[in-house]
Amino acid sequence: MSEANGAATPQSLIREELLALSAYHVPASAGMVKLDAMENPYPLPDDLAAGLGALLGAAPVNRYPEADARALKASIRRALDVPAGCDILLGNGSDEIIQLLAMAVAKPGAVLASVEPTFVMFRMIATFTGLRYASCPLRADFSLDMDAVLHMLEAERPAVMFLATPNNPTGNTFARADIERIAAAAPGLLVVDEAYYAFGDSSHLELAARLPNVLVMRTFSKLGMAGLRLGFLVGAPAWLEQLDKLRLPYNVNVLTQIAATRLLDSYPALAAQAAAIRVDRSVLAEALRAVPGAEVFPSEANFLLFRIPRAAALFDALVARGVLVKNVSRAHALLADCLRVTVGTPAENRRFIAALHEAVADLG
Ligand code: PMP
């Protein structure tokens, strides 16, 4: 309700479902071993960094960015084998693309769906945009429960369903045949979110070319460019043309366009970092399995999910030792006593493992 003098208050003006939300929490991490956000732990290779400095110094920051980022899209197409016949839509991070998709389908009563547990922004953005969020649980091993998914599609008729593979925070992938079955059964769009594609062996880009209701979303955040904020969507021009109307004209800034274009021309260097992270992931998984009580889940992403008794207390004990991971133990019933750790540099991974051993021993 508004005050007597008619002045608006946040409580009187802001939508109730937003007042009820908690903001996406980004914890303080200065000085810590930061293994909570799936960043690439490596700085740019020296030669790339030097070349980039000169390019960015000459960037026309007095001008608005090129609105359709043609050079950047051409680099993406080249580096990532975007199927012929598909278009590319760029976002300020893939978060923005989720938001564009949600805004586009937000008719009264429309539903955005996913599986749980998954990336929290699907649910949050549904709320931001006035969509109802529907979900069905994964199995205890985080695989798809196809009966539950097909039932949800039938009962909820979602306008858009998001499926992240590899999934966050679980790290596993979903079977291609199941994804195709979901696409066939979906009454609306199926968006395959491949944020972690660089750390696994599967790509679903071809589905965007072959299946009329599938779009594939990726981000460069996990490939060493989280700070640039750049994600993209691949799909049929008929879909992307409509979504493009909602995109704010200058959503990808000049510096990001120039830097990403340059970095993508050195894609093999970025892919080599991802390959090194994959190797380090198996070393880390093995070390984690040796920690008393830890159960490590299979991962094709740049992080590992593990279950360990008294996870919440261990999370605090790790923070006290200067190591920040993500406590997902309260995010979903299936994640009870689970923590998620990003694969860092080998030295960071060793510090994490040492801190975890100490914390487990201290908690007795
Ligand atoms: N999708 C998934 C599955 C993610 O885990 C993330 C980031 N954590 C994103 C999308 C968003 O990435 P960005 O906005 O950095 O591109």
Side-chain angles (χ1 to χ4, degrees):
M1 297 295 284
S2 52
E3 303 291 320
N5 65 2
T9 64
Q11 280 65 30
S12 71
L13 208 59
I14 305 285
R15 285 152 49 200
E16 271 169 36
E17 63 272 27
L18 295 187
L19 291 172
L21 274 184
S22 328
Y24 187 87
H25 176 60
V26 180
S29 60
M32 300 190 81
V33 175
K34 189 173 183 316
L35 302 175
D36 66 326
M38 285 85 88
E39 291 144 330
N40 176 329
Y42 300 106
L44 288 176
D46 285 346
D47 52 335
L48 268 180
L52 207 53
L55 270 178
L56 294 180
V61 293
N62 56 318
R63 302 288 180 195
Y64 284 109
E66 198 203 313
D68 56 5
R70 229 165 300 151
L72 175 51
K73 285 185 188 170
S75 292
I76 292 175
R77 200 173 270 288
R78 265 198 308 278
L80 298 180
D81 291 329
V82 172
C86 283
D87 272 356
I88 297 172
L89 177 87
L90 300 179
N92 189 312
S94 47
D95 284 344
E96 190 191 32
I97 293 174
I98 303 168
Q99 189 184 47
L100 287 173
L101 282 156
M103 285 194 295
V105 299
K107 295 182 184 176
V111 171
L112 182 155
S114 194
V115 292
E116 289 282 348
T118 191
F119 184 39
V120 292
M121 290 309 285
F122 300 147
R123 175 194 290 270
M124 291 189 74
I125 287 174
T127 305
F128 299 165
T129 55
L131 290 164
R132 194 159 62 76
Y133 180 74
S135 67
C136 62
L138 295 170
R139 294 211 173 92
D141 65 357
F142 307 122
S143 62
L144 284 173
D145 177 344
M146 281 304 286
D147 288 343
V149 173
L150 296 174
H151 178 264
M152 174 183 72
L153 290 173
E154 173 107 18
E156 304 284 355
R157 316 274 317 153
V160 58
M161 174 164 176
F162 286 88
L163 203 54
T165 184
N167 189 30
N168 170 20
T170 60
N172 59 308
T173 54
F174 300 129
R176 181 179 306 268
D178 286 344
I179 294 173
E180 292 206 34
R181 266 178 84 197
I182 292 172
L189 276 171
L190 174 65
V191 179
V192 180
D193 179 351
E194 292 192 323
Y196 300 96
Y197 76 94
F199 309 99
D201 292 318
S202 49
S203 161
H204 297 86
L205 283 177
E206 63 87 21
L207 294 188
R210 186 157 56 80
L211 303 179
N213 62 335
V214 174
L215 303 174
V216 177
M217 187 171 75
R218 288 187 176 180
T219 175
F220 292 115
S221 294
K222 322 297 171 188
L223 262 183
M225 295 185 240
L228 294 182
R229 305 303 296 129
L230 183 65
F232 68 100
L233 185 70
V234 168
W239 288 113
L240 267 53
E241 193 174 286
Q242 298 302 324
L243 296 167
D244 202 47
K245 296 178 186 171
L246 280 169
R247 186 182 60 84
L248 297 178
Y250 307 118
N251 65 330
V252 180
N253 73 72
V254 175
L255 300 180
T256 295
Q257 288 194 31
I258 293 174
T261 304
R262 173 66 196 89
L263 293 179
L264 285 172
D265 290 341
S266 298
Y267 189 74
L270 305 176
Q273 287 185 337
I277 290 167
R278 285 176 71 154
V279 174
D280 294 340
R281 176 181 68 207
S282 31
V283 176
L284 178 62
E286 201 172 313
L288 203 43
R289 272 188 218 105
V291 175
E295 176 190 3
V296 185
F297 295 97
S299 170
E300 292 199 34
N302 62 342
F303 58 85
L304 291 167
L305 183 77
F306 62 104
R307 177 167 285 134
I308 191 159
R310 285 185 291 170
L314 282 175
F315 170 80
D316 291 338
L318 287 171
V319 170
R321 287 172 173 77
V323 177
L324 186 63
V325 298
K326 179 91 171 177
N327 178 9
V328 294
S329 62
R330 281 182 287 265
H332 192 274
L334 290 174
L335 296 174
D337 268 337
C338 285
L339 301 177
R340 186 193 69 196
V341 59
T342 305
V343 181
T345 63
E348 288 173 330
N349 299 338
R350 283 193 293 272
R351 272 193 65 188
F352 156 68
I353 291 288
L356 188 59
H357 273 291
E358 279 174 32
V360 168
D362 277 7
L363 286 181

